[in-house]
Amino acid sequence: MNDLTQLVADTRATLARIAADFTPAVFASSLAAEDMVLTDLILKAQLDIGIFSLETGRLHPETLAMLDRVKDTYGYEIALYRPQTEAVDAYVAQNGLNAFYDSVDMRRECCRIRKVEPLGRALAGNRAWVTGQRRAQSATRTELHVEEDDAAHGMTKFNPLADWSEQDVWNYIRDNNVPYNALHDQGYPSIGCAPCTRAIEPGEDVRAGRWWWENPDSKECGLHLVDGKLIRIKSVAA
């Protein structure tokens, strides 16, 4: 059994355990490569794990196109959670449409409105949530565990791809003909909102294109932060 085969087997086992022991559970998909791997594994196994995405209002057209590709490929419609219109309008009126370029605080407030608050609604009533985070993605994720206690949301958080490398992700996608975001072929290994994501240069960190104007240590949107710190409260032995 090669390394990828073992990783896939372990990930399938983790997802099956989530579906069996942590229902109701949901998977937060950004529609990027890692999340398409998990989408493929969840839907092909017909696991009882709901899939949702945060439609921030600032996503690339290529990202939004993935919603139809998932529906066409798997016959599954991903649930969408959007920010509150009043909160978006108030932020723009007070600070400007692109105020997130002005400071980390302004950027995090935009992320809070467009992503963190909708995430709270998406997670409400669930016992566990799943993410596509990987340990190798950035300096902010080096202590990532497959299973964690997310006390902030009152549930268990799973990162089934924590041990996967970038190459593992792409080998799985190619081996299994998994649909993926066209931006990945244009130099975007990590994809977020359009004004906050750029293509990277050869040799750059895979998340260098996210909030590229900031220090690498601040590059989280808030989905995995509490009081400015990563939600890395404690791992749970699998």
Side-chain angles (χ1 to χ4, degrees):
M1 182 179 292
N2 63 36
D3 290 344
L4 180 56
T5 301
Q6 185 62 60
L7 282 172
V8 172
D10 291 345
T11 302
R12 283 186 175 132
T14 297
L15 292 170
R17 186 165 67 87
I18 295 167
D21 299 339
F22 290 87
T23 54
V26 286
F27 165 42
S29 172
S30 69
L31 305 168
E34 288 83 1
D35 295 333
M36 290 310 302
V37 169
L38 289 174
T39 296
D40 188 75
L41 290 169
I42 290 169
L43 295 182
K44 283 182 176 175
Q46 299 183 323
L47 297 175
D48 187 16
I49 300 174
I51 304 175
F52 73 87
S53 191
L54 303 177
E55 210 293 71
T56 67
R58 302 298 301 268
L59 299 179
H60 297 83
E62 292 89 343
T63 299
L64 293 172
M66 291 303 300
L67 296 167
D68 285 338
R69 293 194 66 189
V70 169
K71 187 173 182 179
D72 292 343
T73 302
Y74 303 100
Y76 184 91
E77 190 160 351
I78 292 177
L80 296 180
Y81 286 81
R82 296 179 171 87
Q84 296 176 335
T85 302
E86 299 81 1
V88 172
D89 290 348
Y91 177 91
V92 172
Q94 183 174 352
N95 306 297
L97 180 63
N98 296 325
F100 42 80
Y101 292 130
D102 296 339
S103 70
V104 173
D105 286 343
M106 278 288 93
R107 196 269 295 165
R108 284 184 174 160
E109 177 61 9
C110 185
C111 288
R112 185 193 68 77
I113 292 168
R114 294 183 183 273
K115 300 174 78 171
V116 178
E117 189 280 329
L119 175 70
R121 284 186 272 120
L123 296 184
N126 288 285
R127 292 184 58 201
W129 68 300
V130 179
T131 87
Q133 291 186 106
R134 294 186 297 105
R135 196 174 296 118
Q137 282 174 324
S138 71
T140 60
R141 297 181 177 181
T142 56
E143 297 182 9
L144 192 72
H145 298 280
V146 170
E147 182 176 344
E148 300 177 334
D149 175 24
D150 183 356
H153 292 109
M155 63 181 64
T156 304
K157 178 179 177 182
F158 288 90
N159 310 295
L161 303 184
D163 298 324
W164 288 49
S165 69
E166 182 88 355
Q167 193 61 51
D168 293 328
V169 170
W170 285 103
N171 285 342
Y172 181 90
I173 286 173
R174 295 185 180 105
D175 290 348
N176 295 277
N177 197 29
V178 177
Y180 64 87
N181 194 319
L183 290 173
H184 289 306
D185 290 333
Q186 300 172 37
Y188 291 75
S190 180
I191 303 168
C193 290
C196 295
T197 310
R198 65 161 172 79
I200 67 169
E201 299 296 329
E204 281 191 300
D205 181 86
V206 295
R207 282 174 65 83
R210 302 291 296 277
W211 310 294
W212 65 90
W213 62 93
E214 294 183 8
N215 184 294
D217 293 337
S218 70
K219 290 187 176 188
E220 290 290 346
C221 61
L223 297 182
H224 312 289
L225 291 167
V226 172
D227 295 331
K229 298 180 180 179
L230 275 175
I231 301 172
R232 202 65 75 234
I233 298 168
K234 69 174 183 176
S235 64
V236 179

